Amino acid sequence: MLDLLRGIALLAPATAAGAVMSEASWRPRMESLVRSGSWSAALSLIDSIQADGGGEISQGGWNAAITACARSKDPAASHAAVATLERVPKPCAKCYTSAITACRGRWEAALELFDNMASEGLPRGERALTACLNSLADAGKWEEAISL
């Protein structure tokens, strides 16, 4: 919670003056939240940027928030990662891969996201495949893993 309050405090002067926040102004704070695994604060930062009319969030910004979820050990972060991916206007392969990585223990969700990548015409690279296979392996779903 303290991370969230600090992040909002850093952004307050720009929004109070009516300025649109650039990604350059909030991205360092997001990167700090990602490194610390503060997924809830990272998602709250995205929410506050959107609520304050902070401009368009890049694929990298969205991916950073999803990556914070993937780095957390909190099971709720997995659900939050998938929900956040659904908010991204046109998710890139990195966003999908980060969300799949967050789906530890939720092999059905990981497999669905992996399949969605193909239907969206996105490349399903080695990292996405590995993340999906790890989720399947954790659940003992070797038959599904072999079918990939």
Side-chain angles (χ1 to χ4, degrees):
M1 185 62 157
L2 187 57
D3 281 336
L4 172 61
L5 295 175
R6 286 183 185 145
I8 292 172
L10 287 173
L11 298 173
T15 57
V20 174
M21 289 181 288
S22 69
E23 188 161 334
S25 68
W26 57 262
R27 190 62 186 258
R29 186 69 198 135
M30 178 64 79
E31 289 171 3
S32 172
L33 295 171
V34 170
R35 281 191 303 276
S36 67
S38 300
W39 66 273
S40 181
L43 297 181
S44 293
L45 181 57
I46 290 281
D47 290 341
S48 69
I49 292 162
Q50 288 187 315
D52 293 337
E56 186 174 326
I57 298 170
S58 71
Q59 292 292 321
W62 285 108
N63 187 53
I66 296 168
T67 298
C69 295
R71 290 189 178 176
S72 172
K73 304 240 187 280
D74 186 340
S78 170
H79 294 280
V82 175
T84 301
L85 181 67
E86 292 171 356
R87 293 173 51 194
V88 179
K90 183 145 176 53
C92 64
K94 283 185 176 183
C95 290
Y96 268 100
T97 299
S98 296
I100 292 168
T101 301
C103 287
R104 290 179 304 271
R106 296 183 57 222
W107 68 271
E108 296 101 337
L111 195 54
E112 182 179 347
L113 291 173
F114 191 71
D115 289 342
N116 288 350
M117 288 180 77
S119 63
E120 293 289 328
L122 296 171
R124 299 188 300 179
E126 182 180 317
R127 288 183 183 198
L129 176 61
T130 300
C132 192
L133 289 172
N134 285 338
S135 185
L136 290 165
D138 289 347
K141 299 294 183 179
W142 61 270
E143 292 166 335
E144 288 83 353
I146 290 172
S147 72
L148 290 180

